[in-house]
Amino acid sequence: MNFDAPILSSPIEYLKGVGPLRADILKKELQIFTFRDLLDHFPLRHIDRTKITQLASVSPSMEYIQVAGTIQSMQVLGENRGRRLVAQLKDGTGILELVWFQGINWIQKNIQIGQAYLVYGKTGYFNGMLQLTHPEMEVYTPAKAGGKAFLEPIYPSTEKLKAKSLGGRQLGKLMFTLLEALQERDLPENLPARLLQEYQFPSRYEAYQQIHFPISELAYQRALARLKFEELFIAQLRLGLIKLERHRYSRGVIFSQVGEHFNNFYHNHLPFALTNAQKRVLKEIRQDMAHGRQMNRLLQGDVGSGKTIVALLSMLLAVDNGFQASLMAPTEILATQHYQGLSALLKEMPVKIALLTGSTKAAARKKILKELAAGDLHLLVGTHALLEDPVQFRQLGLAIIDEQHRFGVAQRARLWKKANIPPHVLVMTATPIPRTLAMTAYGDLDYSIIDELPPGRQPITTVHRFDYSRGQVMDFIKEEIQKGRQAYCIFPLIEESEKLDLENLMRGYENIKAFFPEPKYWISMVHGRMAPDIKETNMQRFVQNDTQIMVATTVIEVGVNVPNASVMVIESAEKFGLSQLHQLRGRVGRGSEKSFCILLTGTQLTNEARERLKIMCATNDGFRIAEKDLELRGPGDIEGTRQSGMLNFKLADLIKDKQWLDAAKYQAAQVLETDPELKREENSALKLYLQAQKGKLAWSRIS
Ligand code: ADP
Ligand code: MG
């Protein structure tokens, strides 16, 4: 079903001026397949066509300039990778160098000495000389300046597109053709009239016209605001509708009582007092599971905040009410650790627990499946193996998923199909997501947060060191090992190929081995391409302190618990994202000893990398780091949010457009409160629009 006119679904090759060849590149380079996709390719900025800067008045502070002049001369300079075409542009007040590194032959043929050009590009300096590299050029006729649009759009483009005359400026010509072909009724209004009035928004059609070819800065700003609001409002509405539907229609099993298992464990076997945050969260979970509708809850807690014990107590509640519970982890190592940890905690309790992973032997597996189906097994811990069809519970009441970001939505759905009445679902994540973001991304989930670490934790000291101080870093590790501690050395996955990554890791391993020779020291190594049993053996040797150093790639990232490890060295730390660095650091500081995280880098760092290292050294607070990560990278890249699909807005920015986000939330809530089924006339366009979207996005109503 379509909401917009069929013309917008036309393949892009049918737009005048495109054709099959250019269509191919548009598809490959910008994922523009249809007229609609082009329409949603929004400009980076606009330039005033009539404004031509004189070369004499160009200053270093101007980032982009538009100049006009004649080409005086052209030369090919340099060799190999330094080979470039340099042209001199003169306008009567000064001279400017234009430089090309690619497509030299083509440009040499097409640009004529003595011809006047309108030139647009980003300024740069080389040997103190102002240059434009790969500028956009068109033959200059005074009539051309001051064309139809006052503000001309400049679009995101790529080198390949530029080579086919589809640079950031030239794409505007296609957009112009497209917009001329569209009429008001092709882009019908989807927002209620009330909102257009309240915020003084232009119509949808008008907004598209003005965001591409604005008649003024103000018109542009209003079009932009409207389209941002629309994006956020529609997203909020969709989430709200899912949540409403779930609350209305999903039955849930009722855990009415807190019984013997829970109480017995709580009073006799709990190894420590719960933190207030743990108590609060547990209460939220208990209430949620007692009310006859399915729980769908996201539990966030920084690394080491103690989510596992909350999971265990919740599972005991299920057992108390005659149900089984499962705990699923993303890796075999993690599942095994959970199993071992929980078994130890439960060893004096009459609760039966088992581990099921891909490497569970056939006989053991058969036994587990039998007991599971008979209801003799209370708790099942495992990996993806839990999702397989033969795994049938007698009565699954609670499904817990640890480290949620490794599991997709579809996988969660498979879990709850394992019971007549869907089990309660608790999703635990250690990837801190800023609260605003979580509410936006997971607006359909209920949300709990453990915002307090267990008492007695010593903050981890984090420092940044350059590669050339590696010797000192190794000496420091020696001192820690002397004291009986252990250390991690983590290598990034950086190359395109696994083979290169492995070589990189091996080199690092040899390097470290040179500092820590056997038999005085022993080193474990773990990486993604290792056979699971070897990986497991190496892990276990480290867990048991048979090896003092663990050299690994990021497979170690989540969950591994070796409280005796006190040093985390992260190699090429500039290659990691903030949340990943934070996750890795969370592997130390788990015991009572003072722990350290050392971020090693080369000396060549981008500003953004510097920022990341700085924030890591400044704080241990996962939520502050997440906020910073969001600021630096934008929400689309934040781990754990990507597959929610709710954060990849084309225009809106959840941080910068907080005002519009709040407005959108408020207005969406208003609509859902007054007209939850969108039956009113004023919401009819909205309803049609949402229905059309639904078909396109294969929307799942699962958490
Ligand atoms: P995470 O939230 O990262 O999964 P864990 O559940 O693994 O954290 O807990 C980290 C460590 O803290 C474990 O060794 C656990 O036994 C301990 N722990 C959890 N809660 C408390 C508490 N309330 N008091 C003291 N130690 C706790
Ligand atoms: Mg955990």
Side-chain angles (χ1 to χ4, degrees), residues 88 94 97 103 115 226 321 324 329-330 335 465 526 547 554 583 692:
Q88 283 74 32
E97 271 197 354
Q115 171 73 52
R226 181 222 140 101
N321 288 275
Q324 293 162 299
R465 293 284 180 268
V526 170
T547 58
T554 44
Q583 287 289 318

Side-chain angles (χ1 to χ4, degrees), residues 271-275 278 301-309 338 402-403 430 450 454-455 457 559 561 563 587 590:
F272 37 68
L274 294 186
T275 61
Q278 285 170 321
D302 209 345
V303 274
S305 62
K307 294 183 290 295
T308 315
I309 202 78
H338 268 317
D402 196 14
E403 305 299 351
I450 304 184
R457 292 278 165 82
N561 191 23
R587 296 310 107 215
R590 302 174 85 82

Side-chain angles (χ1 to χ4, degrees), residues 491 505-514 523-525 551:
F491 287 79
L505 179 72
M506 288 304 176
R507 258 201 312 279
Y509 173 73
E510 292 302 332
N511 202 331
I512 288 165
K513 217 165 154 182
I523 305 176
S524 278
M525 182 165 60
V551 175

Side-chain angles (χ1 to χ4, degrees), residues 251-262 282-297 310-326 378-379 393-400 419 421-426:
R251 275 189 309 155
V253 290
I254 300 177
F255 294 173
S256 54
Q257 54 169 338
V258 177
E260 201 177 317
H261 292 100
F262 184 97
L282 200 58
K283 203 163 142 194
E284 286 165 359
I285 292 170
R286 256 166 64 178
Q287 278 171 355
D288 228 11
M289 298 194 300
H291 283 109
R293 66 173 160 79
Q294 186 207 16
M295 173 175 81
N296 240 296
R297 187 168 281 277
V310 172
L312 175 57
L313 285 161
S314 308
M315 293 197 287
L316 291 178
L317 276 175
V319 179
D320 274 342
N321 288 275
F323 288 90
Q324 293 162 299
S326 68
H378 301 108
L379 308 181
F393 293 79
R394 194 174 81 87
Q395 221 174 7
L396 180 62
L398 170 64
I400 300 182
I421 299 180
H424 297 300
V425 177
L426 181 67

Side-chain angles (χ1 to χ4, degrees), residues 224-503:
L224 185 64
R226 181 222 140 101
L227 292 173
K228 281 180 175 177
F229 175 85
E230 180 185 322
E231 265 191 317
L232 294 164
F233 176 70
I234 296 292
Q236 290 301 308
L237 260 184
R238 280 168 48 187
L239 285 171
L241 284 166
I242 293 166
K243 192 166 180 172
L244 265 184
E245 195 179 333
R246 184 158 59 73
H247 283 187
R248 198 155 355 130
Y249 298 116
S250 85
R251 275 189 309 155
V253 290
I254 300 177
F255 294 173
S256 54
Q257 54 169 338
V258 177
E260 201 177 317
H261 292 100
F262 184 97
N263 285 328
N264 181 9
F265 183 81
Y266 196 91
H267 296 297
N268 305 320
H269 303 293
L270 200 60
F272 37 68
L274 294 186
T275 61
N276 286 329
Q278 285 170 321
K279 284 185 198 162
R280 187 190 65 238
V281 164
L282 200 58
K283 203 163 142 194
E284 286 165 359
I285 292 170
R286 256 166 64 178
Q287 278 171 355
D288 228 11
M289 298 194 300
H291 283 109
R293 66 173 160 79
Q294 186 207 16
M295 173 175 81
N296 240 296
R297 187 168 281 277
L298 178 70
L299 171 57
Q300 260 201 65
D302 209 345
V303 274
S305 62
K307 294 183 290 295
T308 315
I309 202 78
V310 172
L312 175 57
L313 285 161
S314 308
M315 293 197 287
L316 291 178
L317 276 175
V319 179
D320 274 342
N321 288 275
F323 288 90
Q324 293 162 299
S326 68
L327 173 59
M328 187 161 79
T331 65
E332 185 135 358
I333 293 174
L334 262 179
T336 308
Q337 275 204 345
H338 268 317
Y339 171 71
Q340 287 165 348
L342 295 178
S343 299
L345 286 166
L346 291 171
K347 69 176 181 293
E348 286 165 36
M349 298 266 305
V351 172
K352 228 176 147 191
I353 180 168
L355 173 70
L356 184 70
T357 69
S359 49
T360 305
K361 298 278 183 306
R365 187 182 158 84
K366 206 169 151 196
K367 181 162 173 273
I368 288 171
L369 294 185
K370 198 168 146 231
E371 290 178 358
L372 197 63
D376 297 337
L377 199 56
H378 301 108
L379 308 181
L380 185 60
V381 179
T383 53
H384 291 79
L386 298 193
L387 299 171
E388 286 157 18
D389 288 334
V391 181
Q392 290 298 333
F393 293 79
R394 194 174 81 87
Q395 221 174 7
L396 180 62
L398 170 64
I400 300 182
I401 301 172
D402 196 14
E403 305 299 351
Q404 159 276 339
H405 62 266
R406 302 284 172 101
F407 294 106
V409 165
Q411 287 171 321
R412 272 180 262 162
R414 282 178 69 176
L415 249 183
W416 82 11
K417 292 213 181 85
K418 291 190 176 290
N420 293 332
I421 299 180
H424 297 300
V425 177
L426 181 67
V427 172
M428 305 198 292
T429 175
T431 308
I433 304 167
R435 198 175 184 103
T436 43
L437 200 57
M439 300 308 274
T440 309
Y442 300 101
D444 63 318
L445 291 185
D446 297 302
Y447 177 73
S448 290
I449 173 168
I450 304 184
D451 49 6
E452 179 188 356
L453 290 181
R457 292 278 165 82
Q458 291 200 50
I460 302 163
T461 297
T462 303
V463 294
H464 170 209
R465 293 284 180 268
F466 291 109
D467 284 335
Y468 56 70
S469 345
R470 186 177 299 271
Q472 281 155 285
V473 173
M474 295 299 146
D475 286 342
F476 178 73
I477 296 179
K478 271 188 189 151
E479 284 170 31
E480 286 292 299
I481 293 177
Q482 208 77 49
K483 292 187 212 154
R485 306 281 96 76
Q486 290 164 278
Y488 293 98
C489 292
I490 305 296
F491 287 79
L493 301 171
I494 37 174
E495 311 289 349
E496 303 269 302
S497 89
E498 283 187 48
K499 190 163 159 277
L500 282 177
D501 278 331
L502 198 58
E503 279 171 16

